[in-house]
Amino acid sequence: MNNSLVESNSIREYFDGTAKQYKPFRSRNRYYWQEIFEQCNYFSHETFRVLELGSGGGELVGKIKGIQKAGIEISPELVKIAQANFTQVNFITGDAEEVQAVGEFDL
């Protein structure tokens, strides 16, 4: 089996396992995540097309300014969480290193 495939599967399994604790983790570290959001949102604009690689549960790409937003996440479980909370964002399950172009983005 290809080493990169083994590594991708291990990463996917790890983040699928963390999905159950995702909300408590984000709540416990909310000040940190709020600072990250504010910094990223500062550089965004309402007319921007935004792509987040490793979008997790979708909080950043779901809340940041932008007219068109997409997130790529390796964990199907985290994508389910993201899709349930941010229906206006196009979430894609996949390895960011392997995903084909999904469009043009400004940020």
Side-chain angles (χ1 to χ4, degrees):
M1 188 179 276
N2 183 332
N3 282 343
S4 114
L5 181 59
V6 170
E7 187 174 314
S8 284
N9 286 338
S10 296
I11 293 168
R12 183 177 301 108
E13 288 170 8
Y14 171 78
F15 283 105
D16 276 347
T18 66
K20 294 175 185 134
Q21 297 301 318
Y22 187 77
K23 197 168 189 168
F25 172 78
R26 289 295 292 228
S27 293
R28 186 173 59 244
N29 298 293
R30 68 185 172 279
Y31 297 108
Y32 168 79
W33 292 111
Q34 182 62 32
E35 184 67 25
I36 297 292
F37 164 75
E38 289 172 9
Q39 294 294 319
C40 292
N41 204 43
Y42 175 81
F43 291 101
S44 193
H45 189 271
E46 288 84 5
T47 62
F48 278 15
R49 295 162 297 179
V50 179
L51 172 65
E52 183 180 15
L53 302 177
S55 55
E59 283 85 359
L60 178 59
V61 72
K63 294 178 181 176
I64 198 171
K65 293 180 281 192
I67 192 155
Q68 176 188 354
K69 301 185 273 185
I72 298 175
E73 173 56 50
I74 198 167
S75 165
E77 294 304 313
L78 286 172
V79 168
K80 287 178 191 175
I81 292 169
Q83 289 172 329
N85 292 316
F86 302 99
T87 57
Q88 78 282 11
V89 179
N90 179 27
F91 290 101
I92 300 165
T93 302
D95 186 334
E97 293 180 343
E98 311 262 333
V99 172
Q100 300 298 317
V102 291
E104 292 184 15
F105 294 89
D106 304 299
L107 181 67

